[in-house]
Amino acid sequence: MNIRPKIEIRYSACPHDCPSTCALEVEKIDDYTIGKVRGAKDNSYTAGVVCAKVGRYAERIHHPDRLMHPLRRTGEKGSTDFERITWDQALDEVAEGLLKAEQAHGAEAVWPYYYAGTMGLVMRDGIHRLRNAKGYTGMYDTICTAVSVPGFWAGTGSLRGPDPREMALSDLVVIWGTNPVHTQVNVMTHAIKARKDRGAKIAVVDVYETSTMKQADIGIILKPGTDGAFACGVMHVLFRDGFANWDYLDKYSDCPKEFEAHLADKTPEWASVITGVTADRIVEFAHLIGNTKRTYLRLGYGFCRTRNGPVNMHAAVSIATVTGAWLHEGGGAFHNNGSIYHMNKSLIEGQDIHDPSVRYLDQTRLGPVLTGDRYDLADGPPITALFIQNTNPVSVCPEQDKVKQGFARDDLFVCVHEQFMTETARMADIVLPATMFMEHDDIYQSGGHQHLILGPKIIEAPGECKSNHDVLCDLAGRVGAEHEGFGMTPREIIDWTLQASGWGTIEDLEENRWIDCQPEFEKAHFLEGFRWPDKKFRFKPDWAGYRFRPYMNRTFGPVDNIPAMPDHWDVIENADAQHPFRLATSPARSFLNSTFNETKTSLDREGRPELFINPDDMVELGLEDGHKIHIGNTRGQVVLHAKSYVGVQRGVVIAESIWPNDAFEDGKGINTVTAADQPAPSGGGAFHDNHVWIRPAN
């Protein structure tokens, strides 16, 4: 009885929406059971480290509440009243619902709605093949990167940068607007290595004292949405005090003299009023950067989730150009490596049958779409059928009350393919049980490093769970969708994609486990020039001409009012007399968006939904730790508990999220109070840009 079972070590990649995409070693106990999950020690980025959430993945994959069988709703929308049905019954009813919508209003009445519950290219993006084959409405994916990528691209012309492993070779690692202790732990692996090996400093710029800031040497706490002002104040000092690298600027930037003149009145005192950071602190930080040639700016997503997010990102990345940090190993600025992979996804997505005349609707604007806003529907037919994979919009989408109102429509047919009975699944007519990543084959590329990683099937799926690919293939035949990809296995699609992209075969990848796609130093650091016709970094970008996605032929928001050069663009939702506090909904350590908030360990570690409030504001509001409070604005209100927190500026509050809606007393999650505005130039989710009032619950 004491004999240990024979444990086989298998290899995979974490599929979750984190830039680290960790290479994994998985203990396979038997054909249906895994044990411990560890980071792959021989992967040069993962370096043997994974977050605690993934380290205890057995708790999630073997969770007793996993969906195991197809279900049909028998009660009210939003209830848990469902009955078990067969796969044939379920798929027949889904096909009937989609065909009925198509017959009544045309194919554009059907909206395949998905996102990044898995980052696997086959399982995440295969839904486009069904959409293209049928002419269903397209989805403009805006929740995550639509506010950050335009700002980085505006300056560099490409989505790449210095090798993320170079953080370990830096003398100053600036972690800006991201909390990697919570969201991408491997950043800390390489930053801390630089500290140990080189005596490097770690600086963190964020809107509150995060877990990452607590491990840093320098912490800068800004007001939300003021990063552009802070960056401009820093660059003013860099020019003023002789730290600008003029040889580099003259060779590699578009208008350095004009930019210096533009910054003349962006003094530390000016920036201090806007950001809440003292002028002396801004000067001190600028001098640290100016005196450290190997400064590596690791730029996150969080600080861009505001109405001025792209301008803030562009301002931050401009710092590396002013100092010429790009010239040095361990220097420069990095956000995402998306441009290095050149993946040919035409087979995965069915791009060969794409009809460009079919409309795209904005993912973030789901509430207005489902409640019939003519602008959001692009003057097309209403959405009367949703087919949902890899996302939980009733929890994660902004303007949650409006989203729920839309889902509650009697004329809306909804199918949700899921792993758990989420808030969104409860609103469905048909719920289909989905596999998890160790139960199917897929391939992954990372935003946060430079590896293509194979994620082969390791164990069998429980119950009647089916993969996204299998469900799409089964459904395609029922709705009359034709494409060669529906007749291929995931491994065949992976192999075709690798070869078409110039990355060899699946056998090669299987043998090597991953491919290091990092460009050579000169290309990664833009020493061959930036990716614009004149090869210059743009301090003065063409915001009006920017297109985040090639299929979107227009910009969004007040594009004409974007500052010509880095600045503080005051279009944020400022506090006012009715809403005296600014709210950011920053990520919790034990959740990943709404994933892992079904596991007991994560729930126990997080405790309950709380609001971090400066102690002086607590006194003024008459609150003590643990007091139940209401927060709200014109979009709705939420009930949670007050937590006194010295590491946040007065007038700023933080709700670490995303808790399940049921964790809140009235069933309303934190995104009840977040807005679905479309920031210029490319839209996106301004989740950290909200004003609210706070009232004691009594």
Side-chain angles (χ1 to χ4, degrees), residues 163-297:
D163 188 331
R165 294 166 294 197
E166 287 184 33
M167 280 183 284
L169 304 174
S170 178
D171 294 323
L172 172 62
V173 180
V174 179
I175 299 171
W176 193 320
T178 182
N179 184 8
V181 169
H182 285 194
T183 61
Q184 43 180 321
V185 66
N186 308 92
V187 168
M188 299 306 295
T189 299
H190 299 281
I192 290 172
K193 187 175 189 303
R195 175 194 277 164
K196 288 180 177 179
D197 293 352
R198 304 177 57 83
K201 299 291 187 184
I202 300 174
V204 173
V205 181
D206 217 313
V207 296
Y208 72 116
E209 188 183 29
T210 64
S211 299
T212 303
M213 193 177 291
K214 290 174 181 177
Q215 295 190 24
D217 303 290
I218 299 134
I220 303 290
I221 300 175
L222 311 173
K223 295 177 182 178
T226 66
D227 303 78
F230 179 72
C232 286
V234 167
M235 289 186 287
H236 171 97
V237 175
L238 292 173
F239 277 108
R240 183 194 72 188
D241 295 352
F243 295 112
N245 187 331
W246 280 103
D247 289 341
Y248 180 85
L249 286 165
D250 288 338
K251 181 177 180 180
Y252 286 102
S253 70
D254 59 347
C255 54
K257 289 292 185 183
E258 185 180 354
F259 185 45
E260 180 186 29
H262 167 75
L263 292 172
D265 61 350
K266 308 297 186 291
T267 64
E269 292 73 20
W270 167 87
S272 177
V273 171
I274 297 168
T275 65
V277 181
T278 66
D280 288 346
R281 192 85 167 123
I282 294 169
V283 172
E284 180 185 7
F285 187 70
H287 282 192
L288 177 64
I289 289 176
N291 283 307
T292 310
K293 294 184 183 299
R294 296 176 186 263
T295 294
Y296 193 109
L297 295 160

Side-chain angles (χ1 to χ4, degrees), residues 461-499:
E464 297 181 86
C465 295
K466 287 191 175 186
S467 73
N468 290 1
H469 176 75
D470 288 343
V471 169
L472 291 167
C473 292
D474 290 343
L475 188 59
R478 287 172 164 84
V479 298
E482 297 181 357
H483 190 273
E484 61 178 317
F486 294 126
M488 299 171 68
T489 67
R491 285 183 61 88
E492 290 170 337
I493 293 175
I494 293 168
D495 187 52
W496 186 98
T497 300
L498 286 168
Q499 293 190 54

Side-chain angles (χ1 to χ4, degrees), residues 238 243-249 252 289-290 292-295 317-329 331-333 521 525 527 530 539:
L238 292 173
F243 295 112
N245 187 331
W246 280 103
D247 289 341
Y248 180 85
L249 286 165
Y252 286 102
I289 289 176
T292 310
K293 294 184 183 299
R294 296 176 186 263
T295 294
V317 73
S318 294
I319 293 173
T321 305
V322 172
T323 64
W326 302 101
L327 291 166
H328 308 288
E329 189 175 37
F521 178 87
H525 284 251
L527 300 186
F530 291 90
F539 289 125

Side-chain angles (χ1 to χ4, degrees), residues 573-648:
E573 190 170 80
N574 286 300
D576 57 30
Q578 289 73 40
H579 310 90
F581 293 92
R582 302 279 324 287
L583 166 70
T585 57
S586 305
R589 186 168 189 169
S590 297
F591 304 147
L592 202 168
N593 302 321
S594 70
T595 304
F596 296 100
N597 67 17
E598 70 285 321
T599 56
K600 185 177 186 303
T601 304
S602 290
L603 291 167
D604 288 347
R605 292 188 179 193
E606 292 301 323
R608 64 184 178 184
E610 294 180 323
L611 190 72
F612 295 4
I613 307 174
N614 181 280
D616 291 336
D617 286 331
M618 292 276 285
V619 171
E620 189 169 301
L621 290 164
L623 298 174
E624 295 182 4
D625 263 355
H627 275 185
K628 187 188 298 183
I629 55 174
H630 291 198
I631 68 169
N633 52 33
T634 57
R635 296 178 285 273
Q637 59 180 292
V638 178
V639 181
L640 28 61
H641 292 82
K643 180 180 178 67
S644 180
Y645 195 72
V646 70
V648 65

